[in-house]
Amino acid sequence: MSMSPWPRLTRNLVAILRGVRPEEVEPIVAALIEAGFEAIEIPLNSPDPFESIGRAARMAPEGVLIGAGTVLTAADVRRLSEVGGRLLVSPNVDAEVLDAAAELGLVSMPGVLTPTEAFLALRHGASALKFFPAAVIGPSGIAAMRAVLPPQTVIGAVGGVDETSFEAYRTAGVSAFGMGSSLYKPGMSAADVAERARRTVAAYDQGAGA
C-alpha cells in the first residue's frame, strides 16, 4: 500500500464546501487559498461534485489539498483520483474505501466516534481521524480516546466546530479542524466566504501562537 501520511500544512484547517456548484467553485476556492486554507473538501452530495473537484484541483497551487467529502464507495475513491483530488474525507469507517485510498496514495480522513472505529481506521491506513460529529462527545470525550491512540495520530474535529471552539479542542489533543457551515453555505458569494475565512484563520493563528 502507498498510503499517504497527513501532510505538513501551515494550518490544519479543512474547508468543507457542501453544496457548492461547479460554476462558482473557482472564485470561492481562490478566496479560501488566499486567506490561508490549504485543504478544501467538496462533499459528494453537492451538485456535480467531481466537476467541481476537478476544477479546483487544476487551479490550486502545489501543496494545497483538494478533495472530496462524504466518500462512501471504492468507486468514488477511484473517480476522485482520476479528476486530480488528493484528499478523501468520509463520515464513517469503510475498509474498502480506506484500502482503495491507501492503494492510490490519497490522504484519507475517515469519521470515527468510538475507539473501535478509530483503531479500525488506523489499521486500514487512515492518514488522520475525523471525530464526527465532534459536538456530540465534545473535547472531553475526544481527550479520553486520545489517551489510548498512538501518539502520532492526527486528530481532527468536525461537526459543530467553529473558530470559538479551537482552544477547547486543541487542549483535548485535536490538531485539525473541519469547517463547514461556519465558513460556507450554498448561495454565499466568494466575498462572503473570504471574510469568514480570514476570521477563521486569524482565530486559528491566535490560538496556535502564530
Side-chain angles (χ1 to χ4, degrees), residues 98-124:
L98 289 174
D99 290 348
E103 287 164 14
L104 292 166
L106 302 183
V107 176
S108 60
M109 194 180 204
V112 304
L113 205 58
T114 66
T116 299
E117 293 170 341
F119 280 102
L120 179 62
L122 293 175
R123 191 181 317 139
H124 283 274

Side-chain angles (χ1 to χ4, degrees), residues 156-183:
V158 181
V161 178
D162 61 24
E163 67 269 16
T164 66
S165 50
F166 287 155
E167 185 177 352
Y169 281 106
R170 274 200 179 106
T171 303
V174 171
S175 59
F177 299 89
M179 314 300 294
S181 57
S182 67
L183 189 64

Side-chain angles (χ1 to χ4, degrees), residues 1 71-78 88 90 92-104 106 108 110 120-121 124-125:
M1 286 190 177
V71 179
L72 302 176
T73 70
D76 285 338
V77 178
R78 289 188 288 273
L88 180 155
S90 47
N92 62 326
V93 178
D94 183 294
E96 287 186 6
V97 166
L98 289 174
D99 290 348
E103 287 164 14
L104 292 166
L106 302 183
S108 60
L120 179 62
H124 283 274

Side-chain angles (χ1 to χ4, degrees), residues 18 25 57 59 61 75 77 87 90 105 111 127 129 138 148 163 181 183 188:
R18 189 179 305 279
V25 72
M59 65 171 285
V77 178
L87 173 65
S90 47
S127 309
L129 301 178
V148 301
E163 67 269 16
S181 57
L183 189 64
M188 279 187 179

Side-chain angles (χ1 to χ4, degrees), residues 17-26 29 41-58 66-70 76 79-80 83 184 186:
L17 301 180
R18 189 179 305 279
V20 72
R21 306 180 72 85
E23 61 270 19
E24 61 187 357
V25 72
E26 287 159 312
V29 168
E41 138 193 6
I42 296 170
L44 295 187
N45 54 3
S46 303
D48 203 358
F50 290 109
E51 174 65 22
S52 291
I53 293 165
R55 291 188 184 194
R58 286 190 293 273
I66 302 291
T70 319
D76 285 338
R79 182 85 190 279
L80 172 63
V83 299
Y184 171 80

